[in-house]
Amino acid sequence: MQRLTLTQPDDWHLHLRDAEVLSAVVEATASCFKRAVVMPNLKPPVTTVEQALAYRKRILAVIPHKYQFIPLMTLYLTENTSVEEIIRAKNQEFVVAVKYYPAGATTHSESGVTDLLKVWPILEAMQTHNLPLLIHGEVTAKGVDVFDREKIFIEYVLDPLLENFPNLRVVLEHITTEEAVIYVNSKGDNLAATLTAHHLLLNRNDLFDGGIRPHHYCLPLLKRESHQRALLAAATSGNPKFFLGTDSAPHARQFKEHSCGCAGIYTAPAALPLYAHAFEQAGALDKLEGFASHYGPDFYQLPRNTETITLEASPWQMPDSFGFGTDQVIPFKAGETIKWRVSRPIV
Ligand code: DOR
Ligand code: ZN
């Protein structure tokens, strides 16, 4: 059987939600990844170190004891974030970054930032204290075509930001365009990007394959195939500026299959196998370990994991759904065959 042993990977961009649905999704990640950077877009958002640590405790409380999973927390940047909070975050090992959502860009982004000028002192403090900024890179202006939101963001928001803060460490999250790949490649080591499995495996045709596909709806939107190819080339390039961040984002089925459905794709149950599939298709399985397990910790200035994990080419069927509170969540590739599996248990 085809086998691939890797340093245990980390997920550098993950949505775990909270309350009764947290326990429904956390094991999917904890059973494979050693660490995950947990997004703060709860309702209300996680804006302080105290809230982040309380959320972390709730996560740890529902992780089965056999896993040594380490949740790494983020703060949600708002126009009320203080410099003191940035310093508190810097002094707390389990808070690793601050997340910038442009107000209105995506799920629970209402408390996001309307104008970066309003958080200028915070960005200065983050640069001074070496705390990374994680960016949802899309403009929200109504006149901008939804497929162009990332490209326009890079030109009009990100580039001026990096000109003003040349030493701020920035992760452009879940990139979806060739322009983003080119831009990240053109900048220094303080700018990196995460790539999701779904943006490597899908393009915008998959949103409309025989009918509208709400479970393929995510933000930033899937783009045309040429962009998908550029993302795959970046992921498999061996360039440490590109690393794994699933953006696994579970929503209750009733809110996905809805007249105004939520954005988010739940990839966690097969995250690493999905990346393995994409890398294999690109003939680059040998590049998976760097992308999944080395470049993320290097960027975050954290140690690489010492444990290993084994992927086996041993097909299995993704369930049609998982329980999710009183509802269900439909995973990516529901009911389909997944070629790779993580040999378990990982302890
Ligand atoms: O598709 C997405 N879902 N994109 C995001 O930026 C947020 C996420 C979520 O929280 O559901
Ligand atoms: Zn996200």
Side-chain angles (χ1 to χ4, degrees):
M1 189 198 299
Q2 223 183 327
R3 278 206 172 82
L4 187 66
T5 296
L6 314 172
T7 303
Q8 191 175 4
D10 305 298
D11 183 350
W12 298 96
H13 184 126
L14 177 67
H15 298 270
L16 285 177
R17 314 306 188 200
D18 204 358
E20 70 281 358
V21 300
L22 177 57
S23 57
V25 298
V26 76
E27 188 169 2
T29 294
S31 62
C32 174
F33 295 95
K34 177 73 185 229
R35 297 170 286 198
V37 171
V38 181
M39 290 299 123
N41 62 333
L42 303 183
K43 242 184 153 163
V46 177
T47 56
T48 66
V49 170
E50 195 183 342
Q51 289 168 348
L53 295 181
Y55 181 29
R56 187 169 190 274
K57 262 196 191 162
R58 298 196 293 279
I59 297 168
L60 289 173
V62 295
I63 296 174
H65 292 304
K66 60 183 170 175
Y67 306 117
Q68 270 115 49
F69 177 66
I70 303 173
L72 300 173
M73 311 310 290
T74 53
L75 299 188
Y76 188 120
L77 182 64
T78 75
E79 291 165 14
N80 296 318
T81 302
S82 67
V83 169
E84 292 71 36
E85 207 59 52
I86 297 302
I87 293 167
R88 269 195 285 279
K90 187 60 203 176
N91 291 328
Q92 167 49 247
E93 67 169 313
F94 295 121
V95 178
V96 296
V98 174
K99 177 70 189 268
Y100 161 44
Y101 289 104
T106 187
T107 308
H108 301 163
S109 61
E110 312 73 48
S111 312
V113 175
T114 56
D115 182 348
L116 277 179
L117 286 174
K118 296 190 177 167
V119 292
W120 218 243
I122 307 306
L123 300 172
E124 269 164 4
M126 290 176 64
Q127 177 172 258
T128 304
H129 296 285
N130 189 29
L131 190 65
L133 180 69
L134 314 183
I135 294 185
H136 183 108
E138 290 192 288
V139 294
T140 54
K142 285 273 177 262
V144 177
D145 188 281
V146 286
F147 289 98
D148 293 335
R149 287 180 175 184
E150 182 175 281
K151 183 175 80 176
I152 302 283
F153 181 91
I154 291 168
E155 189 176 341
Y156 290 95
V157 184
L158 181 58
D159 195 50
L161 177 75
L162 290 173
E163 286 297 309
N164 281 285
F165 297 101
N167 297 316
L168 182 64
R169 282 192 305 132
V170 171
V171 183
L172 186 57
E173 300 284 353
H174 42 54
I175 60 169
T176 62
T177 58
E178 184 173 19
E179 287 86 354
V181 170
I182 292 169
Y183 186 74
V184 171
N185 268 321
S186 76
K187 303 301 283 187
D189 290 346
N190 61 316
L191 178 65
T194 52
L195 288 153
T196 76
H198 47 278
H199 288 104
L200 297 180
L201 291 168
L202 302 177
N203 61 61
R204 67 191 197 180
N205 284 351
D206 297 297
L207 262 174
F208 309 105
D209 185 14
I212 193 151
R213 300 285 183 163
H215 298 289
H216 288 167
Y217 172 52
C218 61
L219 288 170
L221 281 172
L222 299 168
K223 305 297 190 298
R224 60 170 69 240
E225 192 189 344
S226 56
H227 293 288
Q228 182 191 2
R229 278 200 299 270
L231 301 178
L232 201 52
T236 58
S237 65
N239 183 339
K241 288 163 81 67
F242 300 98
F243 52 84
L244 185 155
T246 62
D247 198 18
S248 175
H251 288 275
R253 179 179 194 161
Q254 60 173 319
F255 298 120
K256 291 288 294 173
E257 299 173 8
H258 192 276
S259 61
C260 185
C262 296
I265 302 184
Y266 182 45
T267 50
L272 192 62
L274 292 168
Y275 283 106
H277 186 67
F279 276 61
E280 186 179 29
Q281 280 184 333
L285 265 179
D286 60 317
K287 296 291 199 306
L288 182 62
E289 185 178 33
F291 173 82
S293 313
H294 294 163
Y295 308 149
D298 294 354
F299 182 84
Y300 276 83
Q301 302 175 349
L302 292 168
R304 293 179 182 180
N305 295 324
T306 51
E307 302 84 346
T308 59
I309 195 169
T310 298
L311 277 164
E312 294 174 356
S314 162
W316 56 286
Q317 195 183 348
M318 177 62 74
D320 290 332
S321 66
F322 294 94
F324 193 71
T326 54
D327 201 332
Q328 299 169 321
V329 56
I330 309 298
F332 186 51
K333 301 279 183 200
E336 294 185 38
T337 300
I338 308 285
K339 172 175 173 182
W340 292 91
R341 79 167 75 214
V342 176
S343 62
R344 289 168 212 265
I346 307 304
V347 289

